[in-house]
Amino acid sequence: MQYHSTRDNSISVSSAQAIKQGLSSEGGLFVPESFPEVTLDEIENLAEMSYHERAYFVLSKFLTDFSEEDLKNCIASAYTREKFGTDAIAPMYKLNDKVYFLELWHGPTCAFKDMALQILPHFLTTSMRMTNENEEIIILVATSGDTGKAALEGFRDVNGTRIIVFYPDNGVSEIQKLQMVTQRGNNVSVAAVNGNFDDAQSGVKKIFTDTVYKELLDKNGFKLSSANSINWGRLVPQIVYYFSAYADLLASKEISIGDEINVVVPTGNFGNILAAYYAKKMGLPIRKFICASNENNVLTDFIKTGVYDKNRRFHTTISPSMDILISSNLERFLYDLSGRNDRIVSGFMSKLSEDGEYEVSADIRTAMQKLFDADCCDDKETMAAIRATYEESGYVMDTHTAVAKSVYDKYTARTGDTTKTVIASTASPFKFNQSVLIALEDYNAVAGKNEFELLEMLEKKSGMKCPASLSELKDRTPIFDTVVEKEQMENTVSDFLKVE
Ligand SMILES: *Cc1c(COP(=O)(O)O)cnc(C)c1O
């Protein structure tokens, strides 16, 4: 299986090369040359398999240059019971006869980014070895909170890699900061940047584009890389859990083989929902994809009208991981919808960077609307969904999952569709404890309480156990206390790597 670029079909690389490179040199994203087909018989067989076996089944169809042993090692290192607290890795929760939550947040940082960031480091080191590079990989991350921690956990103690995370000193929540500054691992470093997220991000970009510095690193056997969400190595592991969800529904006799299901995904960068779409292309019986957004509803408008327009106010919401105006993985979807037309995709993307908007053709719009539905909700509706679901069933959702549930309820009211539906649940409610508690109680109930008091309150209210990775933070001593000026970030990297 070779990979092409969404902006240049003539580019053709192996999966190891695509993963190592991340982004194609002309700015396009790597996509598989075709989608391997899976039969219903094969899907039926998945019902009896473990998550590891299901992962091998799906991943081996895309990473065809990886040996069986290498791929199995990647899977076994990433998805352990120790890290996920359950052999199911991505367990399903049945809300009622129509609705199931696919819980993607049992990993070490309590959010769905772990599903990809736990395995990406192993894909990367394997890809380096396969392409005969023996440099050590240096991962640089600028984070507004969640991705940094998930990347730290993914890369910690992975041989052949080191990771440095920069976060804005005053731009992350107290618990996010604690999660990062107490990070363990023999190959990690964390530093605060005196500034906001943009300062941290532009500092990292500057290091990536500094050719003199790159030479210096090269000379010392280091290769800079990023862990961002457009890497094929982050997308492909997400296809697995849609097959796994379907297999679980089969195993528990909620559906029969061949039955179509709907999928609802709380969407930001369009990676998670694109993975579900790819699963359907391979043959997984999915009827509708319901794309759920918060008040940053660029995608809702796009799917309804065919016009992508990022020229709008940015909203800070209680589902911050979806506060996004440019959904970078949409590019892969457009490539597919346009019949793999690299010229058309390049045109959209340059129009987006020049004018902040583009409009797709009627053909593309019609093809998209056949499979995709979209809607959005505001913070009030998100809170109402958390409360209503709790009152109905005792199940407590986080704010991102609640956006999906709210949009799903609107969808069924509008369409009367009674198809069994899987809602992607993307974070533990403990991670967004304050908003969840305000939804379940009220503002007064949380006033003046610190993070750890809130975690305890939520334990009592939900009857769920707070993930140890969050409650343990209380007793951890910070390891990283460096605060650097944004001009000093390169020096911080040099100090960590001991190069000069
Ligand atoms: C990243 C994230 C999302 C959005 O996923 P995309 O793949 O970017 O669409 C939703 N919920 C949570 C909790 C996330 O961390």
Side-chain angles (χ1 to χ4, degrees):
M1 167 86 62
Q2 293 291 106
Y3 290 77
H4 298 313
S5 163
T6 50
R7 299 188 199 178
D8 185 350
N9 281 332
S10 72
I11 288 176
S12 179
V13 300
S14 67
S15 73
Q17 181 67 30
I19 289 168
K20 192 177 78 178
Q21 225 177 298
L23 197 66
S24 186
S25 52
E26 80 308 330
L29 311 191
F30 289 116
V31 283
E33 62 187 342
S34 64
F35 285 89
E37 282 187 26
V38 171
T39 66
L40 289 180
D41 281 347
E42 288 174 306
I43 294 173
E44 202 167 14
N45 289 337
L46 295 178
E48 306 297 316
M49 292 186 191
S50 68
Y51 193 84
H52 284 193
E53 291 166 324
R54 292 168 184 175
Y56 181 75
F57 174 77
V58 174
L59 295 174
S60 60
K61 295 188 180 301
F62 288 102
L63 310 184
T64 49
D65 47 340
F66 282 51
S67 74
E68 178 173 346
E69 190 193 355
D70 278 343
L71 189 51
K72 285 187 170 165
N73 279 338
C74 290
I75 294 167
S77 312
Y79 301 122
T80 63
R81 188 190 172 83
E82 187 200 4
K83 286 176 178 162
F84 283 79
T86 156
D87 290 326
I89 304 298
M92 295 276 271
Y93 177 89
K94 179 178 180 176
L95 185 69
N96 56 46
D97 281 336
K98 292 273 168 284
V99 180
Y100 307 81
F101 287 105
L102 170 58
E103 295 182 344
L104 301 172
W105 42 260
H106 290 270
T109 75
C110 309
F112 106 101
K113 304 274 187 300
D114 289 331
M115 297 301 300
L117 278 167
Q118 282 296 317
I119 199 163
L120 176 73
H122 302 287
F123 285 164
L124 256 180
T125 50
T126 308
S127 300
M128 287 289 282
R129 177 161 49 73
M130 285 166 56
T131 52
N132 294 317
E133 294 208 37
N134 40 28
E135 291 161 292
E136 192 168 5
I137 298 172
I138 310 303
I139 301 289
L140 283 192
V141 183
T143 186
S144 54
D146 282 345
T147 305
K149 177 63 185 178
L152 284 165
E153 278 297 329
F155 281 92
R156 79 184 261 193
D157 296 332
V158 174
N159 284 336
T161 73
R162 294 198 218 181
I163 175 165
I164 311 175
V165 170
F166 292 101
Y167 68 91
D169 198 20
N170 293 313
V172 300
S173 76
E174 207 41 44
I175 202 147
Q176 285 174 327
K177 180 171 171 171
L178 259 179
Q179 277 189 312
M180 290 189 278
V181 298
T182 60
Q183 178 67 42
R184 291 173 185 168
N186 60 26
N187 62 340
V188 306
S189 184
V190 175
V193 177
N194 189 11
N196 59 26
F197 174 62
D198 281 339
D199 294 321
Q201 191 167 44
S202 54
V204 163
K205 278 201 181 135
K206 227 171 103 197
I207 300 175
F208 270 113
T209 49
D210 183 339
T211 46
V212 178
Y213 193 59
K214 184 176 177 294
E215 269 175 38
L216 174 72
L217 293 182
D218 267 353
K219 228 173 50 199
N220 285 274
F222 297 121
K223 184 185 170 69
L224 283 182
S225 186
S226 82
N228 62 26
S229 75
I230 44 85
N231 193 308
W232 176 247
R234 270 188 70 172
L235 195 55
V236 69
Q238 301 186 26
I239 302 173
V240 174
Y241 49 70
Y242 289 104
F243 279 93
S244 180
Y246 193 91
D248 278 347
L249 291 176
L250 283 177
S252 55
K253 307 225 167 358
E254 299 291 330
I255 57 170
S256 307
I257 185 68
D259 288 353
E260 285 186 319
I261 59 169
N262 288 342
V263 169
V264 190
V265 184
T267 300
N269 237 331
F270 209 77
N272 201 358
I273 199 165
L274 181 71
Y277 173 72
Y278 282 172
K280 180 183 169 78
K281 285 187 72 77
M282 296 170 70
L284 192 68
I286 300 177
R287 179 173 295 162
K288 276 271 174 195
F289 302 88
I290 299 156
C291 175
S293 301
N294 62 26
E295 269 192 281
N296 296 295
N297 57 359
V298 190
L299 286 167
T300 312
D301 291 347
F302 174 64
I303 290 168
K304 285 184 174 161
T305 66
V307 177
Y308 193 96
D309 183 1
K310 76 162 184 79
N311 302 315
R312 59 180 72 206
R313 212 182 107 205
F314 177 83
H315 295 272
T316 300
T317 73
I318 58 171
S319 45
S321 304
M322 297 155 68
D323 291 347
I324 280 175
L325 292 179
I326 297 187
S327 300
S328 39
N329 267 301
L330 194 63
E331 179 167 346
R332 288 187 163 109
F333 187 48
L334 294 168
Y335 180 76
D336 203 76
L337 288 173
S338 66
R340 310 178 74 85
N341 191 319
D342 52 357
R343 289 299 102 214
I344 289 183
V345 173
S346 304
F348 291 153
M349 291 305 127
S350 38
K351 193 135 188 323
L352 180 65
S353 70
E354 277 153 34
D355 307 335
E357 58 147 357
Y358 59 84
E359 178 169 11
V360 299
S361 67
D363 284 354
I364 291 183
R365 192 183 64 228
T366 310
M368 173 165 75
Q369 289 172 345
K370 233 171 94 185
L371 290 176
F372 276 67
D373 202 287
D375 216 331
C376 55
C377 71
D378 62 20
D379 283 353
K380 239 173 137 174
E381 294 173 294
T382 306
M383 295 255 195
I386 293 174
R387 184 162 188 138
T389 300
Y390 177 72
E391 284 174 353
E392 196 185 301
S393 66
Y395 187 72
V396 177
M397 307 179 282
D398 97 289
T399 48
H400 303 77
T401 310
V403 168
K405 178 65 166 59
S406 173
V407 164
Y408 168 73
D409 290 341
K410 288 187 198 186
Y411 167 82
T412 50
R414 175 158 47 84
T415 60
D417 189 349
T418 57
T419 307
K420 291 197 187 231
T421 297
V422 170
I423 297 179
S425 175
T426 51
S428 158
F430 287 94
K431 191 142 193 186
F432 298 93
N433 51 60
Q434 182 165 353
S435 303
V436 170
L437 278 163
I438 292 170
L440 296 177
E441 310 257 8
D442 56 26
Y443 283 96
N444 294 331
V446 305
K449 300 239 168 33
N450 72 28
E451 285 285 350
F452 301 103
E453 291 166 327
L454 293 177
L455 291 176
E456 272 176 35
M457 248 176 96
L458 188 54
E459 270 195 326
K460 290 205 184 88
K461 187 82 189 172
S462 66
M464 292 161 79
K465 188 102 193 67
C466 175
S469 56
L470 295 179
S471 54
E472 276 169 13
L473 288 174
K474 199 161 97 178
D475 310 312
R476 289 267 189 105
T477 347
I479 302 169
F480 302 102
D481 56 2
T482 324
V483 183
V484 300
E485 296 305 317
K486 61 176 197 268
E487 296 78 17
Q488 298 299 312
M489 288 167 64
E490 209 165 86
N491 291 345
T492 310
V493 176
S494 298
D495 288 348
F496 175 55
L497 301 178
K498 301 194 170 61
V499 298
E500 45 191 53

